[in-house]
Structure formats: structure tokens, C-alpha cells
Amino acid sequence: MAPKILVILVFLAVASPAALAAFDVIEMLADKPTYSTFLKLLQDTKVAGEANQLRSATLLVVPDKLAKPLASLPADKVRPAVENHVLLSYFDPIKLDEMKTRTAILPTLLSVTDKKLGVLNYTRADDEQMYFGAPGAPCLAKLVKVVAARPYSVSIMEISEPILPAALPSPVAAPGRRGKGGKRKIKPSAATHEDSNMIPRKPVEAVVVGKGKVAKDTVSESPAPSPAPVSAP
């Protein structure tokens, strides 16, 4: 009888929500060479290991062509900057869109050691585009698409530029433009929609959803609007 009880207890432990919610951000990005520089930063700074210990997380990543401002930071600034790209809760475009307020302050992994700087400002502009920014800096990092997600444990979302501390220069686009991106509302696939009973075991691939259309790895080219002013919720 005792061996049977032991087997049942082991099965329940393996099948528990905590076990099902476990994730590995390195594994989720390993087959996406577009983000190899950001992945290397996650590994070199040990931030990936810390992110994997969270109950839920959201990673804001940039493709290699936009990662230089982050990778070229002074050695003592790289880790805090990378930590500030890891939100301490699960978010996707639908969850952000369902917020009651158009602005919010979202804690990041950096808040473990620096509660003042370890947050990101979030704002949803009048045209429904979503932006992030460091404390004291404008919200210029636009949400581009969902790269991968396991609701409601972890999501990885691409942004239009790295989020740098306010004291450092932000990689803004040429005068008169705020970077690429049009007025299409960005949505993940239905698999990332909030459903408390759904825990997918496979990541959701990069998806950009326009008005009634679904496409992969596409971003429109018209200028993005200025984000709405940021204020505390």
C-alpha cells in the first residue's frame, strides 16, 4: 500500500500548477536567432536564471539589429538594464488592453535590489498602441509583437527599442519620427487570451494581429504616434 501512496504523491507533485508553470526563457529563445544578442545578455548577466525562478514573468526583448545600445552599456550598467526588461507578472497585449487605466507602473526584476528604478512606465496611446519606458524617461519602446508565450506563466514580447535608464541616452529615431510602426492594434493569437484553465505546454509563436487579419513577423512602416502622458495608476 505504501508504495502506491508514494506513487500517487509523486504524480500529484509533478502535475501541480507550480510544476506545470515552470519555464525556461533560454529554451524559449534558443530557436529564435533574431534575438541571439539579447539571449546572450540574459545568459551572461545570469538574469535568465533569476527569471526562470519567478512564478510568472514577461520578457521585453529586442532583435539583434536594435540591441547595440543595450549591449554596449558599461559593465556595471548592463545587468540592471537587462533586469529592467523582465516584468514580475505575466502580460500579453490582451491583458494590457484590459487594464482599467491607460497608464501603469509595472515592477521589474530590478526592483529586488532597487525599488525606485526597478519599474517600467506603461502607457496606451489614443490609437491603442502600447509603450514602455524607464522611470524619468519618455515611453518610446513600442510593443511590436508576441514572440512566445505560455499563459499564464511567461510571455516574451518584442519592443521597438531597448529600455535604457533615464540617465543614459535613449536610441530615439530620426527627428519627426518615433520609430517604425503603424496604427494597427497589436494582439496575440487566441492561445494567449486569458483563460484560467488553459496552460499550454508549447510556446505560442510570434504573432501580430491587425484588423481582422493575422500575420507572422510583420510590422507596418508608418510612423507611430506620440504616447499618452504617463502617470501613476
Side-chain angles (χ1 to χ4, degrees), residues 64-83:
D64 290 351
K65 64 182 180 181
L66 300 175
K68 185 176 180 180
L70 189 61
S72 60
L73 288 174
D76 61 332
K77 302 292 184 184
V78 175
R79 180 183 171 87
V82 174
E83 288 179 326

Side-chain angles (χ1 to χ4, degrees), residues 10-231:
V10 170
F11 175 80
L12 291 175
V14 172
S16 67
L20 291 174
F23 54 83
D24 186 337
V25 297
I26 294 177
E27 181 181 289
M28 294 175 73
L29 285 171
D31 62 345
K32 297 173 173 55
T34 302
Y35 309 100
S36 61
T37 300
F38 194 91
L39 175 57
K40 187 175 187 303
L41 290 173
L42 286 171
Q43 294 173 308
D44 291 348
T45 60
K46 312 299 183 184
V47 171
E50 293 185 22
N52 290 340
Q53 299 303 312
L54 299 173
R55 291 180 62 86
S56 60
T58 300
L59 273 68
L60 302 176
V61 303
V62 291
D64 290 351
K65 64 182 180 181
L66 300 175
K68 185 176 180 180
L70 189 61
S72 60
L73 288 174
D76 61 332
K77 302 292 184 184
V78 175
R79 180 183 171 87
V82 174
E83 288 179 326
N84 229 23
H85 285 71
V86 181
L87 300 175
L88 297 182
S89 298
Y90 173 86
F91 291 101
D92 58 30
I94 292 175
K95 188 172 181 180
L96 290 170
D97 190 52
E98 290 174 347
M99 284 186 176
K100 294 181 179 179
T101 59
R102 301 184 72 87
T103 62
I105 297 176
L106 309 176
T108 70
L109 189 58
L110 181 59
S111 66
V112 175
T113 55
D114 192 328
K115 293 188 179 300
K116 182 178 179 180
L117 295 178
V119 296
L120 291 183
N121 292 321
Y122 162 78
T123 185
R124 189 169 74 250
D126 292 339
D127 68 345
E128 303 305 319
Q129 293 285 356
M130 302 171 184
Y131 295 85
F132 300 90
C139 289
L140 297 177
K142 184 178 65 117
L143 178 58
V144 176
K145 65 184 178 183
V146 177
V147 176
R150 292 176 180 171
Y152 292 92
S153 299
V154 59
S155 71
I156 301 177
M157 301 192 293
E158 182 182 320
I159 52 178
S160 62
E161 61 182 65
I163 300 170
L164 302 180
L168 296 173
S170 179
V172 295
R177 298 188 64 186
R178 291 191 180 276
K180 296 182 179 180
K183 294 185 177 182
R184 293 185 304 160
K185 192 172 181 179
I186 302 169
K187 293 286 187 179
S189 67
T192 63
H193 195 280
E194 185 166 346
D195 181 347
S196 59
N197 296 320
M198 179 176 63
I199 307 180
R201 302 194 181 190
K202 293 183 179 180
V204 178
E205 295 303 323
V207 175
V208 180
V209 179
K211 296 181 179 179
K213 297 182 179 180
V214 179
K216 291 189 177 182
D217 294 315
T218 58
V219 183
S220 59
E221 299 295 328
S222 57
S226 298
V230 180
S231 60

